[in-house]
Amino acid sequence: MIQTCFYRDKDRISGFKITGHADSGEYGRDIVCAAVSVLSINTVNSIEQITKIMPLVDSDDENGGFLSVNVPESSDADSNRMAQVLLEALEIGLRDISKSYKEYLVMN
């Protein structure tokens, strides 16, 4: 099962952590894993490329099943707002997946 947790600092999402494996299908055909991976990796890449904020990323590239991201505040208010929109979009996407596949993804 995949577990997700969003970290908040006052009124902002400061990061997130995703752990575990969905095991909803065989390797290469696990649609829950694929969806969570695409959303989370795209969010990190988008924050970097669109806002120029460099998230602090910790992952287990060898075994998978672990991604921890901390998004530092920028001195640029517009960059911070854009990063928040991207993080909120990730949270919405993961929540939607968890509604349809609650036995494979839990939002903490």
Side-chain angles (χ1 to χ4, degrees):
M1 175 176 291
I2 296 174
Q3 296 187 18
T4 64
C5 178
F6 281 81
Y7 302 111
R8 288 179 162 65
D9 180 21
K10 298 177 188 169
D11 61 344
R12 67 182 286 271
I13 299 172
S14 59
F16 62 91
K17 181 168 68 171
I18 300 172
T19 59
H21 296 279
D23 295 324
S24 70
E26 65 184 71
Y27 182 80
R29 297 181 183 273
D30 188 333
I31 62 170
V32 176
C33 175
V36 170
S37 295
V38 167
L39 285 174
S40 59
I41 292 168
N42 184 65
T43 299
V44 172
N45 291 341
S46 295
I47 289 170
E48 288 178 358
Q49 293 176 29
I50 294 170
T51 71
K52 307 303 183 211
I53 296 172
M54 300 307 290
L56 305 171
V57 178
D58 185 17
S59 64
D60 184 346
D61 296 334
E62 190 172 312
N63 299 307
F66 180 79
L67 177 64
S68 178
V69 178
N70 181 20
V71 182
E73 279 194 85
S74 171
S75 58
D76 181 59
D78 287 337
S79 292
N80 286 326
R81 276 192 293 276
M82 287 187 282
Q84 288 305 295
V85 169
L86 293 167
L87 289 164
E88 288 169 10
L90 170 63
E91 188 173 31
I92 290 167
L94 292 174
R95 193 167 313 284
D96 286 346
I97 294 169
S98 74
K99 287 177 185 173
S100 298
Y101 297 95
K102 55 184 160 262
E103 63 273 21
Y104 302 111
L105 175 62
V106 173
M107 302 284 294
N108 294 322

